[in-house]
Amino acid sequence: MLIAVDGPAAAGKGTLSRRLAEHFNLARLDTGLIYRTVAKKVLETKDPENNKIAIEIAQFLSLNDLDTNGLRDEAIGTAASKISAIPEVRKTLLNFQRNFAKNPPNGKVGAVLDGRDIGTVVCPKAEFKLFITASSKIRAERRFKELQDRGKEAIRSAILRDIIDRDERDSIRSVSPLLPARDAQILDTSKLDPDAVFNLALNFISLKI
Ligand code: C5P
């Protein structure tokens, strides 16, 4: 079983994917974490604007590198969105993601991958494709609350700006732009809580099983 969950930043992909993975006993790959990990490693080098370094870091990435610590900050998200527009970085990470989908770890019989281009590019043959979205204002508000809950300082207007900029960068890039696959079920979560989103996703999946 292969489930692709795509959508813009802070739309609720992560929460939904985690719940789907638990429900169907699947391995889960948060592909944003891959780009964030590469971005963090690039920022730690002396030459973060050098694309060659980003490509090299992407080539040597392993599953063990995907540690969530310190990767959730907006600054890392923005850096990830910049390096993710480098075609060679995407090409290298494509193999990594496809390999995960084909050979899910820990003996799992399937996988759920969430990101921006899973249904369109990484796993175009996935049986189940969901595209999760919400208005930029609602997504900024959710991110603001999430940061507050983690005890981080946050400014609403700056978060909204970041989200709008990141949406634009992710949507206009030439390689794998943020787009729903033609056969994806689109879920606008602006007025839905996580339980409602999960139930709608389960409905969609059970209709296709
Ligand atoms: O989903 P998340 O906010 O963690 O992703 C960080 C950035 O990584 C995104 O803004 C996007 O530019 C990039 N990304 C991508 N393709 C994916 C997942 C994430 O380009 N499949």
Side-chain angles (χ1 to χ4, degrees), residues 31-32 35-36 72 80-81 84 90 115-117 166 170 173:
T31 63
Y35 289 94
R36 284 173 185 267
R72 285 282 153 221
S81 149
S84 71
R90 295 206 76 85
R116 302 290 186 288
D117 59 342
R166 197 131 70 88
D170 290 348
R173 69 179 173 223

Side-chain angles (χ1 to χ4, degrees), residues 32-82:
L33 213 54
I34 300 176
Y35 289 94
R36 284 173 185 267
T37 303
V38 173
K40 185 165 181 246
K41 285 177 184 275
V42 170
L43 289 177
E44 283 163 1
T45 68
K46 286 195 185 118
D47 193 4
E49 299 295 321
N50 186 335
N51 287 2
K52 278 195 185 148
I53 292 184
I55 297 164
E56 207 167 288
I57 289 175
Q59 279 165 349
F60 288 99
L61 195 77
S62 87
L63 266 183
N64 295 335
D65 291 329
L66 303 183
D67 178 1
T68 48
N69 278 339
L71 287 177
R72 285 282 153 221
D73 293 354
E74 285 307 297
I76 302 273
T78 298
S81 149
K82 287 182 183 159

